[in-house]
PDB file of all heavy atoms in Angstrom:
ATOM      1  N   ASN A 142       0.187 -12.978  -9.605  1.00 98.00           N
ATOM      2  CA  ASN A 142       0.207 -14.036 -10.753  1.00 98.00           C
ATOM      3  C   ASN A 142      -1.250 -14.170 -11.398  1.00 98.00           C
ATOM      4  O   ASN A 142      -1.339 -14.141 -12.624  1.00 98.00           O
ATOM      5  CB  ASN A 142       0.544 -15.499 -10.236  1.00 98.00           C
ATOM      6  CG  ASN A 142       1.980 -15.519  -9.802  1.00 98.00           C
ATOM      7  OD1 ASN A 142       2.776 -14.676 -10.356  1.00 98.00           O
ATOM      8  ND2 ASN A 142       2.401 -16.444  -9.142  1.00 98.00           N
ATOM      9  N   GLU A 143      -2.304 -14.059 -10.626  1.00 98.00           N
ATOM     10  CA  GLU A 143      -3.697 -14.083 -11.152  1.00 98.00           C
ATOM     11  C   GLU A 143      -3.837 -12.835 -12.135  1.00 98.00           C
ATOM     12  O   GLU A 143      -4.340 -13.006 -13.245  1.00 98.00           O
ATOM     13  CB  GLU A 143      -4.801 -13.992 -10.175  1.00 98.00           C
ATOM     14  CG  GLU A 143      -4.749 -15.193  -9.229  1.00 98.00           C
ATOM     15  CD  GLU A 143      -5.404 -16.499  -9.905  1.00 98.00           C
ATOM     16  OE1 GLU A 143      -5.787 -16.485 -10.959  1.00 98.00           O
ATOM     17  OE2 GLU A 143      -5.438 -17.476  -9.005  1.00 98.00           O
ATOM     18  N   ALA A 144      -3.409 -11.574 -11.681  1.00 98.00           N
ATOM     19  CA  ALA A 144      -3.542 -10.506 -12.528  1.00 98.00           C
ATOM     20  C   ALA A 144      -2.671 -10.678 -13.729  1.00 98.00           C
ATOM     21  O   ALA A 144      -3.196 -10.156 -14.803  1.00 98.00           O
ATOM     22  CB  ALA A 144      -3.108  -9.204 -11.598  1.00 98.00           C
ATOM     23  N   SER A 145      -1.566 -11.121 -13.689  1.00 97.00           N
ATOM     24  CA  SER A 145      -0.716 -11.261 -14.861  1.00 97.00           C
ATOM     25  C   SER A 145      -1.144 -12.266 -15.839  1.00 97.00           C
ATOM     26  O   SER A 145      -1.318 -12.071 -17.080  1.00 97.00           O
ATOM     27  CB  SER A 145       0.689 -11.906 -14.454  1.00 97.00           C
ATOM     28  OG  SER A 145       1.337 -10.884 -13.712  1.00 97.00           O
ATOM     29  N   THR A 146      -1.931 -13.351 -15.347  1.00 97.00           N
ATOM     30  CA  THR A 146      -2.693 -14.279 -16.217  1.00 97.00           C
ATOM     31  C   THR A 146      -3.764 -13.659 -16.858  1.00 97.00           C
ATOM     32  O   THR A 146      -4.037 -14.041 -17.906  1.00 97.00           O
ATOM     33  CB  THR A 146      -3.106 -15.601 -15.331  1.00 97.00           C
ATOM     34  OG1 THR A 146      -1.911 -16.145 -14.672  1.00 97.00           O
ATOM     35  CG2 THR A 146      -3.730 -16.558 -16.250  1.00 97.00           C
ATOM     36  N   CYS A 147      -4.494 -12.828 -16.103  1.00 96.00           N
ATOM     37  CA  CYS A 147      -5.597 -12.149 -16.804  1.00 96.00           C
ATOM     38  C   CYS A 147      -5.149 -11.259 -17.880  1.00 96.00           C
ATOM     39  O   CYS A 147      -5.837 -11.269 -19.092  1.00 96.00           O
ATOM     40  CB  CYS A 147      -6.261 -11.178 -15.755  1.00 96.00           C
ATOM     41  SG  CYS A 147      -7.665 -10.183 -16.380  1.00 96.00           S
ATOM     42  N   GLU A 148      -3.987 -10.719 -17.802  1.00 94.00           N
ATOM     43  CA  GLU A 148      -3.418  -9.812 -18.886  1.00 94.00           C
ATOM     44  C   GLU A 148      -3.148 -10.740 -20.218  1.00 94.00           C
ATOM     45  O   GLU A 148      -3.359 -10.345 -21.222  1.00 94.00           O
ATOM     46  CB  GLU A 148      -2.330  -8.945 -18.483  1.00 94.00           C
ATOM     47  CG  GLU A 148      -1.797  -8.083 -19.515  1.00 94.00           C
ATOM     48  CD  GLU A 148      -2.740  -6.918 -19.911  1.00 94.00           C
ATOM     49  OE1 GLU A 148      -3.565  -6.690 -19.123  1.00 94.00           O
ATOM     50  OE2 GLU A 148      -2.609  -6.524 -20.976  1.00 94.00           O
ATOM     51  N   THR A 149      -2.645 -11.901 -19.872  1.00 94.00           N
ATOM     52  CA  THR A 149      -2.373 -12.865 -20.952  1.00 94.00           C
ATOM     53  C   THR A 149      -3.648 -13.379 -21.558  1.00 94.00           C
ATOM     54  O   THR A 149      -3.786 -13.493 -22.802  1.00 94.00           O
ATOM     55  CB  THR A 149      -1.549 -14.029 -20.378  1.00 94.00           C
ATOM     56  OG1 THR A 149      -0.332 -13.567 -19.664  1.00 94.00           O
ATOM     57  CG2 THR A 149      -1.190 -15.025 -21.455  1.00 94.00           C
ATOM     58  N   ASP A 150      -4.648 -13.666 -20.783  1.00 90.00           N
ATOM     59  CA  ASP A 150      -5.816 -14.276 -21.253  1.00 90.00           C
ATOM     60  C   ASP A 150      -6.711 -13.158 -22.012  1.00 90.00           C
ATOM     61  O   ASP A 150      -7.564 -13.477 -22.948  1.00 90.00           O
ATOM     62  CB  ASP A 150      -6.797 -14.815 -20.177  1.00 90.00           C
ATOM     63  CG  ASP A 150      -6.308 -15.944 -19.525  1.00 90.00           C
ATOM     64  OD1 ASP A 150      -5.279 -16.676 -20.101  1.00 90.00           O
ATOM     65  OD2 ASP A 150      -6.772 -16.449 -18.407  1.00 90.00           O
ATOM     66  N   PHE A 151      -6.514 -11.911 -21.660  1.00 90.00           N
ATOM     67  CA  PHE A 151      -7.437 -10.838 -22.149  1.00 90.00           C
ATOM     68  C   PHE A 151      -6.647  -9.524 -22.275  1.00 90.00           C
ATOM     69  O   PHE A 151      -6.754  -8.649 -21.465  1.00 90.00           O
ATOM     70  CB  PHE A 151      -8.691 -10.615 -21.282  1.00 90.00           C
ATOM     71  CG  PHE A 151      -9.731  -9.955 -21.841  1.00 90.00           C
ATOM     72  CD1 PHE A 151     -10.528 -10.389 -23.026  1.00 90.00           C
ATOM     73  CD2 PHE A 151     -10.130  -8.598 -21.459  1.00 90.00           C
ATOM     74  CE1 PHE A 151     -11.498  -9.736 -23.599  1.00 90.00           C
ATOM     75  CE2 PHE A 151     -11.105  -7.959 -22.093  1.00 90.00           C
ATOM     76  CZ  PHE A 151     -11.762  -8.443 -23.082  1.00 90.00           C
ATOM     77  N   PRO A 152      -5.587  -9.541 -23.285  1.00 91.00           N
ATOM     78  CA  PRO A 152      -4.718  -8.314 -23.351  1.00 91.00           C
ATOM     79  C   PRO A 152      -5.415  -7.078 -23.751  1.00 91.00           C
ATOM     80  O   PRO A 152      -6.338  -7.033 -24.370  1.00 91.00           O
ATOM     81  CB  PRO A 152      -3.710  -8.971 -24.348  1.00 91.00           C
ATOM     82  CG  PRO A 152      -4.439 -10.003 -25.140  1.00 91.00           C
ATOM     83  CD  PRO A 152      -5.544 -10.559 -24.260  1.00 91.00           C
ATOM     84  N   ARG A 153      -4.773  -6.009 -23.220  1.00 91.00           N
ATOM     85  CA  ARG A 153      -5.042  -4.667 -23.654  1.00 91.00           C
ATOM     86  C   ARG A 153      -6.251  -4.014 -23.022  1.00 91.00           C
ATOM     87  O   ARG A 153      -6.314  -2.872 -22.926  1.00 91.00           O
ATOM     88  CB  ARG A 153      -5.015  -4.464 -25.114  1.00 91.00           C
ATOM     89  CG  ARG A 153      -3.643  -4.758 -25.891  1.00 91.00           C
ATOM     90  CD  ARG A 153      -3.734  -4.457 -27.285  1.00 91.00           C
ATOM     91  NE  ARG A 153      -4.796  -5.117 -28.052  1.00 91.00           N
ATOM     92  CZ  ARG A 153      -4.833  -6.403 -28.444  1.00 91.00           C
ATOM     93  NH1 ARG A 153      -3.906  -7.177 -28.171  1.00 91.00           N
ATOM     94  NH2 ARG A 153      -5.805  -6.870 -29.143  1.00 91.00           N
ATOM     95  N   HIS A 154      -7.232  -4.763 -22.673  1.00 91.00           N
ATOM     96  CA  HIS A 154      -8.489  -4.027 -22.135  1.00 91.00           C
ATOM     97  C   HIS A 154      -8.458  -3.848 -20.754  1.00 91.00           C
ATOM     98  O   HIS A 154      -9.171  -2.987 -20.224  1.00 91.00           O
ATOM     99  CB  HIS A 154      -9.756  -5.060 -22.468  1.00 91.00           C
ATOM    100  CG  HIS A 154      -9.973  -5.121 -23.942  1.00 91.00           C
ATOM    101  ND1 HIS A 154      -9.178  -5.863 -24.829  1.00 91.00           N
ATOM    102  CD2 HIS A 154     -10.877  -4.634 -24.703  1.00 91.00           C
ATOM    103  CE1 HIS A 154      -9.558  -5.756 -26.075  1.00 91.00           C
ATOM    104  NE2 HIS A 154     -10.754  -4.990 -26.107  1.00 91.00           N
TER     105      HIS A 154
END
Side-chain angles (χ1 to χ4, degrees):
N142 292 336
E143 297 283 2
S145 294
T146 303
C147 175
E148 186 62 27
T149 302
D150 291 349
F151 196 69
R153 296 184 310 277
H154 293 74

